[in-house]
């Protein structure tokens, strides 16, 4: 998968509907998210997304792509997401994808760390 396609795939995970999300998350996926219960399996993450408003826009920066072996891609980036209701969210993220077949990829790991805000003290 070329770099543009990697980022398009990742963007779709933030903005797509629950059905598309379900198609891209592996059954063996593990996620760490900044809300209870914090550590989720792929099935739990899919259920959570089905009941959560999707982001209408996301921008990535500080992007890194690693390909440690054939059929495995690990990425890291800063995400700035927003919804039409002006809700905003910034996090540092990692995602690992594995290839199942030619042109068929699934997420096996995802993590989000909300951006920390330094105090003025």
């Amino acid at each position: 998968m070329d770099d543009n396609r990697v980022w398009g795939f990742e963007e779709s995970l933030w903005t797509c509907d629950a059905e598309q999300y379900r198609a891209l998350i592996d059954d063996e996926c593990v996620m760490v998210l900044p809300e209870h219960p914090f550590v989720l399996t792929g099935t739990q993450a899919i259920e959570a997304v089905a009941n959560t408003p999707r982001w209408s826009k996301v921008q990535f920066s500080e992007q890194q792509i690693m390909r440690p072996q054939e059929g495995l891609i690990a990425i890291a980036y800063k995400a700035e997401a927003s919804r039409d209701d002006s809700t905003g969210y910034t996090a540092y993220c990692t995602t690992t994808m594995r290839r199942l077949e030619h042109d068929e990829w699934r997420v096996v790991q995802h993590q989000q760390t909300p951006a920390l805000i330094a105090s003025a003290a």
Side-chain angles (χ1 to χ4, degrees):
M1 182 173 356
D2 70 23
D3 289 3
N4 288 336
R5 192 154 159 243
V6 168
W7 295 114
F9 181 99
E10 190 70 8
E11 181 179 352
S12 76
L13 294 168
W14 287 79
T15 60
C16 69
D17 62 24
E19 195 59 39
Q20 173 74 7
Y21 190 84
R22 180 176 288 109
L24 299 178
I25 302 299
D26 198 272
D27 291 340
E28 297 299 316
C29 185
V30 62
M31 292 192 184
V32 176
L33 301 175
E35 292 185 18
H36 186 76
F38 304 107
V39 178
L40 300 96
T41 65
T43 301
Q44 291 170 321
I46 290 166
E47 290 171 11
V49 164
N51 299 313
T52 303
R54 305 304 295 145
W55 298 105
S56 53
K57 181 180 175 186
V58 64
Q59 290 184 286
F60 301 140
S61 61
E62 302 181 37
Q63 298 158 277
Q64 298 288 321
I65 297 179
M66 301 297 166
R67 292 177 171 87
Q69 70 181 48
E70 182 69 27
L72 190 63
I73 298 173
I75 62 174
Y77 59 95
K78 178 181 179 183
E80 295 178 270
S82 61
R83 292 193 180 104
D84 293 333
D85 65 4
S86 299
T87 300
Y89 176 67
T90 301
Y92 292 88
C93 307
T94 62
T95 300
T96 305
M97 306 164 219
R98 72 175 173 148
R99 184 175 58 214
L100 300 178
E101 297 178 10
H102 178 70
D103 257 2
E104 186 177 348
W105 293 82
R106 296 288 182 276
V107 172
V108 293
Q109 175 278 328
H110 180 73
Q111 164 275 326
Q112 295 177 14
T113 301
L116 301 176
I117 300 172
S119 68

